[in-house]
Amino acid sequence: RKEVEQDPGPFNVPEGATVAFNCTYSNSASQSFFWYRQDCRKEPKLLMSVYSSGNEDGRFTAQLNRASQYISLLIRDSKLSDSATYLCVALSGGSYIPTFGRGTSLIVHP
Amino acid sequence: NAGVTQTPKFQVLKTGQSMTLQCAQDMNHNSMYWYRQDPGMGLRLIYYSASEGTTDKGEVPNGYNVSRLNKREFSLRLESAAPSQTSVYFCASSRLADYNEQFFGPGTRLTVL
């Protein structure tokens, strides 16, 4: 069982929709969390870090729920350009090995 | 600022051949990583270097060796390539090994026949 689990999707949504992804992690010692975006045949790029208090960057909101051991990503007012795979990452305190989820595919259509 | 660069972008090898993938970063980061990405498997860590002068195994180190040449450069070597090593290889760097986000290079697409 992988330590970080994501629904692979694809999530197929119309432009302007709000979409949310969850990512569960099994290691309770995980301290740092990130969301990355990966376009087809490209490298992953950092979308946002996930803080305990939650954080927002424009149309994107990330939340952390330590009690239930999941992080979430909410995308409001989806754009065609949001179509990509979204990877969540957990890193345990004192560990140098980040654990990547397998990614959730998002397709935004006109 | 080029960020993280990787060479080559594409490579085709025959089984048993060797090659070295090169990676360099210009962000003065301490930590560097090598991953492979296969369909349905996600990113898997091969080796990492938490700081200059150190290297450690990741999740899937068998068949690979690494060298942290200096703070900027971290190479990955396949001594005797196998078809199972056909994959996309990403190099990444981070300011520090823990609590820090990683920055990825554009990847090397390797096919082993």
Side-chain angles (χ1 to χ4, degrees), chain B residues 5-56:
Chain B
T5 56
Q6 291 183 237
T7 56
K9 285 188 168 51
F10 302 92
Q11 184 70 51
V12 179
L13 293 177
K14 293 181 180 176
T15 297
Q17 286 185 315
S18 62
M19 80 161 295
T20 300
L21 281 63
Q22 306 287 353
C23 174
Q25 52 90 10
D26 62 3
M27 295 176 283
N28 201 34
H29 283 172
N30 290 294
S31 305
M32 298 185 74
Y33 310 80
W34 276 106
Y35 293 90
R36 60 179 289 173
Q37 188 173 37
D38 303 293
M41 297 296 294
L43 279 160
R44 292 183 292 170
L45 184 65
I46 304 171
Y47 270 94
Y48 67 99
S49 171
S51 60
E52 187 180 356
T54 69
T55 60
D56 284 285

Side-chain angles (χ1 to χ4, degrees), chain A residues 2 31-32 34 36 38 41-44 46 49 87 91 93-98 100-102, chain B residues 33 35 37 40-43 45 48 50 57-58 90 97-102 104-106 109:
Chain A
K2 197 151 170 67
Q31 295 286 339
S32 301
F34 307 93
Y36 283 77
Q38 186 173 25
R41 301 180 69 79
K42 298 283 191 179
E43 73 272 23
L46 180 70
S49 303
L87 309 172
L91 183 62
S95 167
Y96 298 155
I97 302 179
F100 281 78
R102 293 178 185 174
Chain B
Y33 310 80
Y35 293 90
Q37 188 173 37
M41 297 296 294
L43 279 160
L45 184 65
Y48 67 99
K57 295 178 181 178
F90 289 105
D98 52 355
Y99 303 108
N100 275 221
E101 64 269 26
Q102 298 184 356
F104 285 80
R109 281 164 178 74

